[in-house]
Amino acid sequence: EWNIQKEIEELVKKAHQKKKLADEKYEEANRLLLKEIGLDSLVITKQKTFEIESEETKERLDVDYFKSEYKSIIDLLQQNEKRGLFKLQKLSNVCKFKKGIEVGSYTYTKEGVLFLRVSNISETGLIERESSEYIPTYLFEQIKEEYAVKENDILYTKDGTIGIALVVDKDFPVSINSMGVVRLQSKGIDPYYIALVLNSIACRSQSDREAIGAVIKHYNFTKLKNLLVPIASRQKQENIVELVKQSFSLRKEAKQLLDEATKRVENFCK
């Protein structure tokens, strides 16, 4: 019994070590990205008062939209593009868009095919919990051609908690995305690079600014398509992506170790 307990402790310890290393790699990738696009030394100063021209209020009147930090970031991105650090591209120029579907809560089942909602998406991986929803296999068969999630899709949250991007890897479960989650399909750029940029302050500042809704935030499709994405050189992208992929690989190894530890605990308790 003592040996089994020690083995389980060792598995859990190794899992936490790999998870910590995964977090460090992801942070390193994010720091490198910000350096390459010239936002690494950005200092946000929040102004309590500011002035705007009357013409600027034609679309929006809410104060948050005109926060100085939003303008500071987009101004710096445009300056850095002129310096030749990257090219600013509209998201619609680098990705194809695939909308989700609402199947109706009456179709939900306890098991079946995962119905992806915003709460299932985090930038470091899929979140599957007891509250996750599923749809019957027969329904999936009817709609899969149009709505099934595919490897290398970028899942992007546009309702509620907006602006979270996650790449679908080869181990991702069979699933359908709801209306709150858009599938982005890259037109050639590595999806892991696009996802990291979408999760960074460069793009989050834009999505936060453009979101509407007092209680539940919504990101208008037209605004999303016009979101400006800094595209670095191919070599810089590859350096950043390498770190991101190392992070996800370590996170996967950590999960496998924890799963093994859980299995051993269950067997021990039988």
Side-chain angles (χ1 to χ4, degrees):
E1 288 186 10
W2 174 250
N3 286 340
I4 294 172
Q5 287 178 335
K6 289 295 287 181
E7 285 173 11
I8 292 169
E9 284 176 16
E10 193 60 31
L11 284 169
V12 172
K13 183 181 174 182
K14 285 181 179 176
H16 285 304
Q17 288 172 343
K18 285 187 181 290
K19 165 73 165 55
K20 184 173 181 287
L21 191 53
D23 290 341
E24 290 170 358
K25 289 287 184 184
Y26 192 81
E27 280 304 310
E28 188 181 347
N30 198 46
R31 285 195 302 272
L32 181 57
L33 169 69
L34 295 181
K35 180 186 175 185
E36 298 296 9
I37 63 176
L39 295 186
D40 53 326
S41 56
L42 176 69
V43 177
I44 301 292
T45 53
K46 296 185 178 182
Q47 294 176 288
K48 291 184 178 179
T49 60
F50 46 85
E51 294 181 2
I52 56 172
E53 300 293 331
S54 59
E55 296 81 37
E56 295 180 74
T57 63
K58 287 179 181 177
E59 280 193 48
R60 299 278 289 268
L61 287 170
D62 50 309
V63 175
D64 282 351
Y65 182 79
F66 298 100
K67 282 180 178 176
S68 58
E69 53 260 40
Y70 294 147
K71 189 174 187 304
S72 297
I73 292 168
I74 201 69
D75 285 351
L76 187 53
L77 284 172
Q78 289 170 342
Q79 289 169 24
N80 289 342
E81 182 187 32
K82 287 177 182 175
R83 288 171 55 204
L85 295 185
F86 53 79
K87 293 287 186 185
L88 277 176
Q89 294 278 2
K90 289 182 179 179
L91 187 57
S92 59
N93 289 344
V94 295
C95 288
K96 290 189 276 188
F97 286 63
K98 298 286 185 179
K99 291 185 179 182
I101 185 174
E102 287 307 331
V103 295
S105 57
Y106 63 90
T107 65
Y108 293 166
T109 56
K110 290 292 183 184
E111 53 186 31
V113 175
L114 181 62
F115 185 62
L116 285 169
R117 298 180 300 167
V118 172
S119 58
N120 293 119
I121 311 299
S122 84
E123 61 182 277
T124 54
L126 173 71
I127 301 171
E128 239 182 312
R129 46 169 72 105
E130 285 186 14
S131 60
S132 295
E133 304 291 359
Y134 300 85
I135 60 171
T137 305
Y138 78 83
L139 179 56
F140 170 74
E141 291 297 328
Q142 292 172 13
I143 61 177
K144 68 179 182 181
E145 191 169 333
E146 183 68 23
Y147 298 106
V149 168
K150 296 176 177 63
E151 185 178 348
N152 289 324
D153 281 355
I154 304 163
L155 302 174
Y156 186 84
T157 61
K158 61 173 282 291
D159 293 333
T161 306
I162 65 164
I164 301 172
L166 174 67
V167 178
V168 175
D169 66 13
K170 60 183 176 61
D171 298 319
F172 205 88
V174 176
S175 50
I176 294 287
N177 56 309
S178 68
M179 288 290 284
V181 180
V182 185
R183 285 190 295 130
L184 305 174
Q185 295 177 334
S186 174
K187 295 179 180 178
I189 296 166
D190 194 300
Y192 285 92
Y193 175 82
I194 295 175
L196 188 71
V197 178
L198 291 175
N199 285 320
S200 76
I201 193 171
C203 292
R204 282 270 176 89
S205 57
Q206 297 176 63
S207 58
D208 287 349
R209 186 186 196 196
E210 296 293 351
I212 57 173
V215 181
I216 299 175
K217 297 288 185 183
H218 300 282
Y219 197 3
N220 177 284
F221 240 102
T222 303
K223 297 289 186 184
L224 175 56
K225 288 181 176 181
N226 289 329
L227 186 147
L228 295 174
V229 183
I231 306 298
S233 69
R234 183 70 66 179
Q235 184 58 59
K236 289 176 179 178
Q237 288 178 39
E238 288 174 1
N239 294 340
I240 291 165
V241 166
E242 179 62 30
L243 289 168
V244 176
K245 287 184 175 178
Q246 285 176 21
S247 172
F248 277 100
S249 179
L250 285 162
R251 205 172 296 279
K252 198 172 290 185
E253 288 173 24
K255 184 181 182 303
Q256 288 168 350
L257 287 167
L258 283 176
D259 288 346
E260 177 61 26
T262 302
K263 194 184 298 180
R264 293 200 188 188
V265 169
E266 289 170 351
N267 291 335
F268 179 68
C269 293
K270 281 181 181 178

